[in-house]
Amino acid sequence: MITKTRTTKETDITVSLKLDGTGKSNIDTGVGFLDHMLESFTKHSLMDLDVRCKGDTHIDDHHSVEDVGIVIGSLLAQAIYPVKNMERFGSANIVMDEACVSCDLDLSNRPFLVYELNVDGKVGQFDTELVEEFFRALALNAKISMHIIEQRGKNRHHIIEAAFKSVAVAIRRATAANERVGIPSTKDVL
């Protein structure tokens, strides 16, 4: 288990992460919908994740959501790099009722995000535009090249949850142990 604390004028966050865990979570971000998504993310990634965030949610949820993504991403980078004896590439298509979202990713140490979810408005009190902020912070700080694409869907909750689950499963597959690949790059470094 690795731990990181990040304190700014807007948020006070402590996250502990175990990459090869069992899917155990203890999440309290002060943003209910984000808590639900991170619990699902943890379960399907098989990481263990403990998140505590006190943020300026009296203003809105933006800083909490983005900063949690930053901290989780930086811990993922710490746990993953240098990539050795793991698959490197991961992919998943996740269905939730009418929705299907795919995630394809590369533990490339070169961050990039392609985000194509057609969600706007709110889920409960949660601004759906914050989903992209979370995934951008996660991808950039984890140094992952990540493509999250909505294949179909109408229900915002289903689309967003399918996105979190697809990212989780793709990370689980990309970080799967494989002694045969050694350093999975022709450059011999990632």
Side-chain angles (χ1 to χ4, degrees), residues 62 65-74 111-116 129-148 164 167:
H62 184 102
V65 172
E66 182 178 33
D67 289 2
V68 165
I70 289 169
V71 177
I72 292 172
S74 65
F112 196 85
L113 177 66
V114 173
Y115 177 89
E116 295 179 5
E129 67 187 12
L130 297 179
V131 176
E132 183 173 6
E133 296 300 322
F134 174 84
F135 284 125
R136 179 176 293 109
L138 182 78
L140 295 181
N141 287 277
K143 303 174 187 172
I144 294 173
S145 181
M146 183 184 305
H147 295 220
I148 306 167
F164 272 83
V167 171

Side-chain angles (χ1 to χ4, degrees), residues 1-4 13-29 34-52 68-69 71-76 134 138 164 168:
M1 191 76 95
I2 53 177
T3 301
K4 181 172 183 161
I13 301 172
T14 301
V15 176
S16 297
L17 180 144
K18 181 178 181 186
L19 187 62
D20 296 319
T22 61
K24 186 179 116 188
S25 65
N26 190 3
I27 312 289
D28 182 8
T29 66
L34 180 62
D35 291 356
H36 176 49
M37 292 301 104
L38 291 176
E39 288 163 357
S40 185
F41 173 82
T42 303
K43 175 71 175 173
H44 295 285
S45 67
L46 294 178
M47 286 182 229
D48 293 341
L49 191 61
D50 186 278
V51 179
R52 295 282 166 264
V68 165
V71 177
I72 292 172
S74 65
L75 283 173
L76 275 172
F134 174 84
L138 182 78
F164 272 83

Side-chain angles (χ1 to χ4, degrees), residues 140-159:
L140 295 181
N141 287 277
K143 303 174 187 172
I144 294 173
S145 181
M146 183 184 305
H147 295 220
I148 306 167
I149 311 292
E150 177 187 337
Q151 303 300 320
R152 66 189 99 18
K154 294 181 182 176
N155 182 290
R156 293 180 200 107
H157 187 128
H158 293 164
I159 294 166

Side-chain angles (χ1 to χ4, degrees), residues 82-140:
V83 175
K84 185 175 182 183
N85 299 332
M86 61 177 66
E87 285 295 329
R88 177 181 170 181
F89 302 101
S91 181
N93 291 305
I94 299 298
V95 171
M96 286 201 59
D97 297 339
E98 88 299 341
C100 179
V101 176
S102 68
C103 177
D104 301 289
L105 59 81
D106 177 7
L107 306 179
S108 62
N109 209 6
R110 293 183 311 275
F112 196 85
L113 177 66
V114 173
Y115 177 89
E116 295 179 5
L117 297 187
N118 185 25
V119 292
D120 58 1
K122 292 184 178 249
V123 174
Q125 298 302 309
F126 184 82
D127 291 316
T128 59
E129 67 187 12
L130 297 179
V131 176
E132 183 173 6
E133 296 300 322
F134 174 84
F135 284 125
R136 179 176 293 109
L138 182 78
L140 295 181

